[in-house]
Amino acid sequence: MKKKSLALVLAAGSGSRMNAREKKQYMEIYGRPVFYYSLAAFEHCREIDDVILVIPEEDEKQVREYLEKWSKEGLGLSKLKAIAWGGKERYDSVYSGLQTAAGMEKYAYVLIHDSARPMLNETMIQTALKGAVEYRACVLGVPVKDTIKILDQENYVSATPVRSSLWAMQTPQAFEFPLILGAYQALFQEKQQGKQLNITDDAMVLEYYGGEKVKILEGDYRNIKITTPEDLILAELYLK
Ligand code: CTP
Ligand code: MG
């Protein structure tokens, strides 16, 4: 039997750094909301079997209206099998999606992707998935171009890590499904015990709770995350 691959598309953030009234995942580029582009990329990639979309519960009506509209336009997303409710932090949203998936099918691999990265393409998906197959856990990233400084509390430089060892992490982050689910379960056990968590990506969860090494594969500088208003202009340019 073929091993099934799932894409988990995260669109449950509030986009606070965009400083806009509308959440960034719904901002439109060329007539489509930002979150459409990742869904479409996974839909068109042969290696992906199913997609789960994670959204804020209060946005259900708005998202379902979009889905209906696309389906009428012939842009149906046949791989989209479920919508899950996000939580306060990104890791809450990921865990919600993983639990939804665990109740649906036996997935071999999962690709976790920020919908705020609309530049996702087939090459990125295939690279991440191949990485999960070969290394069990893999994240796309790019070497940083700027020199990075660690600052102290008064904004004085306290250290300068060697640039050649620094890479900026992107998504998709791709894993053997049981491996990442187990790591997230361990993370949430600690959360229940009241531990402060400072987790910003899925690789960190594996680093801390999975006991597994995470392989970094080269992504693409164009795979930007829309975070602040300038990023929207860049995304528009790249998506042209
Ligand atoms: N995300 C999510 N659930 C959260 C937080 C984030 O699903 N509780 C998603 C976002 O929708 C986004 C991705 O994770 O696609 C990356 O997060 P980020 O860029 O930080 O988006 P936001 O959290 O929405 O933005 P901000 O941090 O500026 O508030
Ligand atoms: Mg955030």
PDB file of all heavy atoms in Angstrom, residues 209-237:
ATOM      1  N   TYR A 209      11.899  17.511  22.099  1.00  0.00           N
ATOM      2  CA  TYR A 209      11.017  16.450  22.604  1.00  0.00           C
ATOM      3  C   TYR A 209      11.045  15.180  21.775  1.00  0.00           C
ATOM      4  O   TYR A 209      10.424  14.196  22.148  1.00  0.00           O
ATOM      5  CB  TYR A 209       9.572  16.966  22.693  1.00  0.00           C
ATOM      6  CG  TYR A 209       9.429  18.164  23.578  1.00  0.00           C
ATOM      7  CD1 TYR A 209       9.460  19.444  23.033  1.00  0.00           C
ATOM      8  CD2 TYR A 209       9.298  18.025  24.954  1.00  0.00           C
ATOM      9  CE1 TYR A 209       9.356  20.561  23.851  1.00  0.00           C
ATOM     10  CE2 TYR A 209       9.192  19.139  25.769  1.00  0.00           C
ATOM     11  CZ  TYR A 209       9.220  20.406  25.218  1.00  0.00           C
ATOM     12  OH  TYR A 209       9.129  21.505  26.009  1.00  0.00           O
ATOM     13  N   GLY A 210      11.730  15.212  20.658  1.00  0.00           N
ATOM     14  CA  GLY A 210      11.671  14.053  19.783  1.00  0.00           C
ATOM     15  C   GLY A 210      12.937  13.216  19.784  1.00  0.00           C
ATOM     16  O   GLY A 210      12.941  12.080  19.341  1.00  0.00           O
ATOM     17  N   GLY A 211      14.020  13.783  20.295  1.00  0.00           N
ATOM     18  CA  GLY A 211      15.281  13.073  20.315  1.00  0.00           C
ATOM     19  C   GLY A 211      15.749  12.679  18.920  1.00  0.00           C
ATOM     20  O   GLY A 211      16.431  11.687  18.732  1.00  0.00           O
ATOM     21  N   GLU A 212      15.364  13.478  17.949  1.00  0.00           N
ATOM     22  CA  GLU A 212      15.709  13.140  16.561  1.00  0.00           C
ATOM     23  C   GLU A 212      16.449  14.319  15.936  1.00  0.00           C
ATOM     24  O   GLU A 212      16.128  15.483  16.189  1.00  0.00           O
ATOM     25  CB  GLU A 212      14.431  12.859  15.782  1.00  0.00           C
ATOM     26  CG  GLU A 212      14.634  12.217  14.440  1.00  0.00           C
ATOM     27  CD  GLU A 212      15.214  10.802  14.536  1.00  0.00           C
ATOM     28  OE1 GLU A 212      14.864  10.058  15.481  1.00  0.00           O
ATOM     29  OE2 GLU A 212      16.012  10.461  13.668  1.00  0.00           O
ATOM     30  N   LYS A 213      17.465  14.018  15.120  1.00  0.00           N
ATOM     31  CA  LYS A 213      18.164  15.093  14.430  1.00  0.00           C
ATOM     32  C   LYS A 213      17.312  15.596  13.269  1.00  0.00           C
ATOM     33  O   LYS A 213      16.604  14.823  12.632  1.00  0.00           O
ATOM     34  CB  LYS A 213      19.514  14.597  13.924  1.00  0.00           C
ATOM     35  CG  LYS A 213      20.561  14.651  15.037  1.00  0.00           C
ATOM     36  CD  LYS A 213      21.845  13.968  14.693  1.00  0.00           C
ATOM     37  CE  LYS A 213      22.683  14.658  13.660  1.00  0.00           C
ATOM     38  NZ  LYS A 213      24.069  14.120  13.641  1.00  0.00           N
ATOM     39  N   VAL A 214      17.393  16.882  13.021  1.00  0.00           N
ATOM     40  CA  VAL A 214      16.604  17.486  11.952  1.00  0.00           C
ATOM     41  C   VAL A 214      17.540  17.920  10.830  1.00  0.00           C
ATOM     42  O   VAL A 214      18.479  18.676  11.064  1.00  0.00           O
ATOM     43  CB  VAL A 214      15.810  18.710  12.482  1.00  0.00           C
ATOM     44  CG1 VAL A 214      15.032  19.368  11.362  1.00  0.00           C
ATOM     45  CG2 VAL A 214      14.879  18.291  13.615  1.00  0.00           C
ATOM     46  N   LYS A 215      17.288  17.432   9.646  1.00  0.00           N
ATOM     47  CA  LYS A 215      18.125  17.772   8.491  1.00  0.00           C
ATOM     48  C   LYS A 215      17.623  19.074   7.855  1.00  0.00           C
ATOM     49  O   LYS A 215      16.415  19.262   7.692  1.00  0.00           O
ATOM     50  CB  LYS A 215      18.035  16.639   7.460  1.00  0.00           C
ATOM     51  CG  LYS A 215      18.881  16.849   6.233  1.00  0.00           C
ATOM     52  CD  LYS A 215      20.329  16.529   6.494  1.00  0.00           C
ATOM     53  CE  LYS A 215      21.141  16.556   5.204  1.00  0.00           C
ATOM     54  NZ  LYS A 215      22.563  16.301   5.486  1.00  0.00           N
ATOM     55  N   ILE A 216      18.548  19.929   7.491  1.00  0.00           N
ATOM     56  CA  ILE A 216      18.165  21.165   6.799  1.00  0.00           C
ATOM     57  C   ILE A 216      18.501  21.012   5.320  1.00  0.00           C
ATOM     58  O   ILE A 216      19.640  20.695   4.960  1.00  0.00           O
ATOM     59  CB  ILE A 216      18.929  22.381   7.357  1.00  0.00           C
ATOM     60  CG1 ILE A 216      18.798  22.480   8.886  1.00  0.00           C
ATOM     61  CG2 ILE A 216      18.458  23.672   6.673  1.00  0.00           C
ATOM     62  CD1 ILE A 216      17.406  22.683   9.383  1.00  0.00           C
ATOM     63  N   LEU A 217      17.527  21.229   4.475  1.00  0.00           N
ATOM     64  CA  LEU A 217      17.760  21.192   3.027  1.00  0.00           C
ATOM     65  C   LEU A 217      17.544  22.589   2.460  1.00  0.00           C
ATOM     66  O   LEU A 217      16.734  23.359   2.973  1.00  0.00           O
ATOM     67  CB  LEU A 217      16.794  20.203   2.361  1.00  0.00           C
ATOM     68  CG  LEU A 217      16.990  18.732   2.750  1.00  0.00           C
ATOM     69  CD1 LEU A 217      15.951  17.865   2.053  1.00  0.00           C
ATOM     70  CD2 LEU A 217      18.397  18.247   2.415  1.00  0.00           C
ATOM     71  N   GLU A 218      18.272  22.878   1.386  1.00  0.00           N
ATOM     72  CA  GLU A 218      18.217  24.226   0.841  1.00  0.00           C
ATOM     73  C   GLU A 218      16.852  24.527   0.220  1.00  0.00           C
ATOM     74  O   GLU A 218      16.361  23.787  -0.637  1.00  0.00           O
ATOM     75  CB  GLU A 218      19.326  24.420  -0.193  1.00  0.00           C
ATOM     76  CG  GLU A 218      19.395  25.849  -0.687  1.00  0.00           C
ATOM     77  CD  GLU A 218      20.828  26.363  -0.793  1.00  0.00           C
ATOM     78  OE1 GLU A 218      21.781  25.567  -0.755  1.00  0.00           O
ATOM     79  OE2 GLU A 218      20.976  27.593  -0.928  1.00  0.00           O
ATOM     80  N   GLY A 219      16.249  25.597   0.691  1.00  0.00           N
ATOM     81  CA  GLY A 219      14.965  26.048   0.154  1.00  0.00           C
ATOM     82  C   GLY A 219      15.192  27.064  -0.943  1.00  0.00           C
ATOM     83  O   GLY A 219      16.030  26.859  -1.829  1.00  0.00           O
ATOM     84  N   ASP A 220      14.502  28.181  -0.850  1.00  0.00           N
ATOM     85  CA  ASP A 220      14.534  29.161  -1.923  1.00  0.00           C
ATOM     86  C   ASP A 220      14.354  30.544  -1.292  1.00  0.00           C
ATOM     87  O   ASP A 220      13.437  30.734  -0.482  1.00  0.00           O
ATOM     88  CB  ASP A 220      13.360  28.849  -2.878  1.00  0.00           C
ATOM     89  CG  ASP A 220      13.416  29.639  -4.165  1.00  0.00           C
ATOM     90  OD1 ASP A 220      13.755  30.838  -4.113  1.00  0.00           O
ATOM     91  OD2 ASP A 220      13.108  29.061  -5.227  1.00  0.00           O
ATOM     92  N   TYR A 221      15.220  31.489  -1.665  1.00  0.00           N
ATOM     93  CA  TYR A 221      15.101  32.831  -1.082  1.00  0.00           C
ATOM     94  C   TYR A 221      13.748  33.478  -1.402  1.00  0.00           C
ATOM     95  O   TYR A 221      13.302  34.366  -0.708  1.00  0.00           O
ATOM     96  CB  TYR A 221      16.234  33.743  -1.569  1.00  0.00           C
ATOM     97  CG  TYR A 221      17.552  33.470  -0.876  1.00  0.00           C
ATOM     98  CD1 TYR A 221      18.601  32.869  -1.562  1.00  0.00           C
ATOM     99  CD2 TYR A 221      17.739  33.793   0.461  1.00  0.00           C
ATOM    100  CE1 TYR A 221      19.808  32.605  -0.932  1.00  0.00           C
ATOM    101  CE2 TYR A 221      18.938  33.530   1.110  1.00  0.00           C
ATOM    102  CZ  TYR A 221      19.970  32.936   0.410  1.00  0.00           C
ATOM    103  OH  TYR A 221      21.166  32.678   1.047  1.00  0.00           O
ATOM    104  N   ARG A 222      13.109  33.012  -2.461  1.00  0.00           N
ATOM    105  CA  ARG A 222      11.807  33.610  -2.801  1.00  0.00           C
ATOM    106  C   ARG A 222      10.674  33.115  -1.898  1.00  0.00           C
ATOM    107  O   ARG A 222       9.585  33.682  -1.903  1.00  0.00           O
ATOM    108  CB  ARG A 222      11.448  33.311  -4.261  1.00  0.00           C
ATOM    109  CG  ARG A 222      12.182  34.226  -5.234  1.00  0.00           C
ATOM    110  CD  ARG A 222      12.080  33.691  -6.633  1.00  0.00           C
ATOM    111  NE  ARG A 222      12.723  32.382  -6.709  1.00  0.00           N
ATOM    112  CZ  ARG A 222      12.939  31.711  -7.842  1.00  0.00           C
ATOM    113  NH1 ARG A 222      12.541  32.222  -8.986  1.00  0.00           N
ATOM    114  NH2 ARG A 222      13.542  30.540  -7.828  1.00  0.00           N
ATOM    115  N   ASN A 223      10.949  32.084  -1.134  1.00  0.00           N
ATOM    116  CA  ASN A 223       9.906  31.500  -0.274  1.00  0.00           C
ATOM    117  C   ASN A 223       9.754  32.333   0.995  1.00  0.00           C
ATOM    118  O   ASN A 223       9.937  31.845   2.108  1.00  0.00           O
ATOM    119  CB  ASN A 223      10.279  30.052   0.043  1.00  0.00           C
ATOM    120  CG  ASN A 223       9.224  29.310   0.856  1.00  0.00           C
ATOM    121  OD1 ASN A 223       8.064  29.725   0.916  1.00  0.00           O
ATOM    122  ND2 ASN A 223       9.639  28.212   1.478  1.00  0.00           N
ATOM    123  N   ILE A 224       9.420  33.604   0.830  1.00  0.00           N
ATOM    124  CA  ILE A 224       9.350  34.529   1.970  1.00  0.00           C
ATOM    125  C   ILE A 224       8.085  34.296   2.773  1.00  0.00           C
ATOM    126  O   ILE A 224       7.086  33.796   2.261  1.00  0.00           O
ATOM    127  CB  ILE A 224       9.384  36.004   1.517  1.00  0.00           C
ATOM    128  CG1 ILE A 224       8.207  36.301   0.558  1.00  0.00           C
ATOM    129  CG2 ILE A 224      10.717  36.329   0.853  1.00  0.00           C
ATOM    130  CD1 ILE A 224       7.905  37.780   0.416  1.00  0.00           C
ATOM    131  N   LYS A 225       8.144  34.711   4.033  1.00  0.00           N
ATOM    132  CA  LYS A 225       6.945  34.700   4.867  1.00  0.00           C
ATOM    133  C   LYS A 225       6.414  36.121   4.948  1.00  0.00           C
ATOM    134  O   LYS A 225       7.157  37.040   5.298  1.00  0.00           O
ATOM    135  CB  LYS A 225       7.252  34.183   6.271  1.00  0.00           C
ATOM    136  CG  LYS A 225       5.998  34.154   7.165  1.00  0.00           C
ATOM    137  CD  LYS A 225       6.161  33.220   8.347  1.00  0.00           C
ATOM    138  CE  LYS A 225       7.173  33.691   9.354  1.00  0.00           C
ATOM    139  NZ  LYS A 225       6.706  34.868  10.114  1.00  0.00           N
ATOM    140  N   ILE A 226       5.175  36.308   4.611  1.00  0.00           N
ATOM    141  CA  ILE A 226       4.575  37.632   4.737  1.00  0.00           C
ATOM    142  C   ILE A 226       4.392  37.899   6.231  1.00  0.00           C
ATOM    143  O   ILE A 226       3.629  37.205   6.907  1.00  0.00           O
ATOM    144  CB  ILE A 226       3.229  37.702   3.976  1.00  0.00           C
ATOM    145  CG1 ILE A 226       3.476  37.448   2.488  1.00  0.00           C
ATOM    146  CG2 ILE A 226       2.560  39.053   4.205  1.00  0.00           C
ATOM    147  CD1 ILE A 226       2.216  37.416   1.637  1.00  0.00           C
ATOM    148  N   THR A 227       5.159  38.858   6.715  1.00  0.00           N
ATOM    149  CA  THR A 227       5.148  39.132   8.162  1.00  0.00           C
ATOM    150  C   THR A 227       4.834  40.599   8.438  1.00  0.00           C
ATOM    151  O   THR A 227       4.002  40.917   9.271  1.00  0.00           O
ATOM    152  CB  THR A 227       6.516  38.765   8.788  1.00  0.00           C
ATOM    153  OG1 THR A 227       6.840  37.415   8.462  1.00  0.00           O
ATOM    154  CG2 THR A 227       6.473  38.905  10.315  1.00  0.00           C
ATOM    155  N   THR A 228       5.520  41.499   7.714  1.00  0.00           N
ATOM    156  CA  THR A 228       5.282  42.934   7.883  1.00  0.00           C
ATOM    157  C   THR A 228       4.838  43.509   6.519  1.00  0.00           C
ATOM    158  O   THR A 228       5.005  42.845   5.487  1.00  0.00           O
ATOM    159  CB  THR A 228       6.557  43.638   8.392  1.00  0.00           C
ATOM    160  OG1 THR A 228       7.639  43.328   7.511  1.00  0.00           O
ATOM    161  CG2 THR A 228       6.913  43.178   9.804  1.00  0.00           C
ATOM    162  N   PRO A 229       4.254  44.720   6.499  1.00  0.00           N
ATOM    163  CA  PRO A 229       3.651  45.229   5.260  1.00  0.00           C
ATOM    164  C   PRO A 229       4.559  45.191   4.027  1.00  0.00           C
ATOM    165  O   PRO A 229       4.091  44.889   2.929  1.00  0.00           O
ATOM    166  CB  PRO A 229       3.261  46.662   5.632  1.00  0.00           C
ATOM    167  CG  PRO A 229       3.001  46.596   7.105  1.00  0.00           C
ATOM    168  CD  PRO A 229       3.983  45.613   7.651  1.00  0.00           C
ATOM    169  N   GLU A 230       5.865  45.439   4.190  1.00  0.00           N
ATOM    170  CA  GLU A 230       6.761  45.427   3.014  1.00  0.00           C
ATOM    171  C   GLU A 230       6.738  44.078   2.311  1.00  0.00           C
ATOM    172  O   GLU A 230       6.950  43.977   1.094  1.00  0.00           O
ATOM    173  CB  GLU A 230       8.227  45.670   3.295  1.00  0.00           C
ATOM    174  CG  GLU A 230       8.789  46.537   4.398  1.00  0.00           C
ATOM    175  CD  GLU A 230       8.160  46.441   5.731  1.00  0.00           C
ATOM    176  OE1 GLU A 230       8.509  45.573   6.518  1.00  0.00           O
ATOM    177  OE2 GLU A 230       7.287  47.297   5.982  1.00  0.00           O
ATOM    178  N   ASP A 231       6.535  43.011   3.102  1.00  0.00           N
ATOM    179  CA  ASP A 231       6.601  41.662   2.532  1.00  0.00           C
ATOM    180  C   ASP A 231       5.503  41.430   1.491  1.00  0.00           C
ATOM    181  O   ASP A 231       5.665  40.639   0.564  1.00  0.00           O
ATOM    182  CB  ASP A 231       6.477  40.604   3.634  1.00  0.00           C
ATOM    183  CG  ASP A 231       7.601  40.702   4.644  1.00  0.00           C
ATOM    184  OD1 ASP A 231       8.725  41.052   4.245  1.00  0.00           O
ATOM    185  OD2 ASP A 231       7.352  40.427   5.834  1.00  0.00           O
ATOM    186  N   LEU A 232       4.386  42.111   1.674  1.00  0.00           N
ATOM    187  CA  LEU A 232       3.267  41.942   0.757  1.00  0.00           C
ATOM    188  C   LEU A 232       3.645  42.430  -0.651  1.00  0.00           C
ATOM    189  O   LEU A 232       3.280  41.822  -1.661  1.00  0.00           O
ATOM    190  CB  LEU A 232       2.064  42.725   1.287  1.00  0.00           C
ATOM    191  CG  LEU A 232       0.678  42.267   0.863  1.00  0.00           C
ATOM    192  CD1 LEU A 232       0.425  40.829   1.263  1.00  0.00           C
ATOM    193  CD2 LEU A 232      -0.387  43.167   1.473  1.00  0.00           C
ATOM    194  N   ILE A 233       4.421  43.510  -0.688  1.00  0.00           N
ATOM    195  CA  ILE A 233       4.856  44.068  -1.972  1.00  0.00           C
ATOM    196  C   ILE A 233       5.777  43.066  -2.678  1.00  0.00           C
ATOM    197  O   ILE A 233       5.650  42.802  -3.871  1.00  0.00           O
ATOM    198  CB  ILE A 233       5.600  45.408  -1.752  1.00  0.00           C
ATOM    199  CG1 ILE A 233       4.674  46.390  -1.017  1.00  0.00           C
ATOM    200  CG2 ILE A 233       6.099  46.000  -3.068  1.00  0.00           C
ATOM    201  CD1 ILE A 233       5.362  47.618  -0.479  1.00  0.00           C
ATOM    202  N   LEU A 234       6.693  42.477  -1.900  1.00  0.00           N
ATOM    203  CA  LEU A 234       7.611  41.478  -2.469  1.00  0.00           C
ATOM    204  C   LEU A 234       6.845  40.267  -2.983  1.00  0.00           C
ATOM    205  O   LEU A 234       7.114  39.760  -4.071  1.00  0.00           O
ATOM    206  CB  LEU A 234       8.565  40.992  -1.375  1.00  0.00           C
ATOM    207  CG  LEU A 234       9.965  41.567  -1.349  1.00  0.00           C
ATOM    208  CD1 LEU A 234      10.784  40.836  -0.290  1.00  0.00           C
ATOM    209  CD2 LEU A 234      10.629  41.425  -2.718  1.00  0.00           C
ATOM    210  N   ALA A 235       5.884  39.807  -2.185  1.00  0.00           N
ATOM    211  CA  ALA A 235       5.110  38.627  -2.567  1.00  0.00           C
ATOM    212  C   ALA A 235       4.375  38.889  -3.880  1.00  0.00           C
ATOM    213  O   ALA A 235       4.305  38.027  -4.758  1.00  0.00           O
ATOM    214  CB  ALA A 235       4.132  38.252  -1.463  1.00  0.00           C
ATOM    215  N   GLU A 236       3.848  40.101  -4.004  1.00  0.00           N
ATOM    216  CA  GLU A 236       3.135  40.462  -5.233  1.00  0.00           C
ATOM    217  C   GLU A 236       4.069  40.377  -6.442  1.00  0.00           C
ATOM    218  O   GLU A 236       3.717  39.862  -7.499  1.00  0.00           O
ATOM    219  CB  GLU A 236       2.615  41.892  -5.115  1.00  0.00           C
ATOM    220  CG  GLU A 236       1.113  41.965  -5.085  1.00  0.00           C
ATOM    221  CD  GLU A 236       0.627  43.334  -4.672  1.00  0.00           C
ATOM    222  OE1 GLU A 236       1.011  44.332  -5.314  1.00  0.00           O
ATOM    223  OE2 GLU A 236      -0.135  43.389  -3.684  1.00  0.00           O
ATOM    224  N   LEU A 237       5.274  40.861  -6.246  1.00  0.00           N
ATOM    225  CA  LEU A 237       6.266  40.856  -7.308  1.00  0.00           C
ATOM    226  C   LEU A 237       6.610  39.418  -7.698  1.00  0.00           C
ATOM    227  O   LEU A 237       6.635  39.045  -8.871  1.00  0.00           O
ATOM    228  CB  LEU A 237       7.508  41.577  -6.774  1.00  0.00           C
ATOM    229  CG  LEU A 237       8.529  42.044  -7.772  1.00  0.00           C
ATOM    230  CD1 LEU A 237       7.963  43.239  -8.528  1.00  0.00           C
ATOM    231  CD2 LEU A 237       9.801  42.481  -7.035  1.00  0.00           C
TER     232      LEU A 237
END
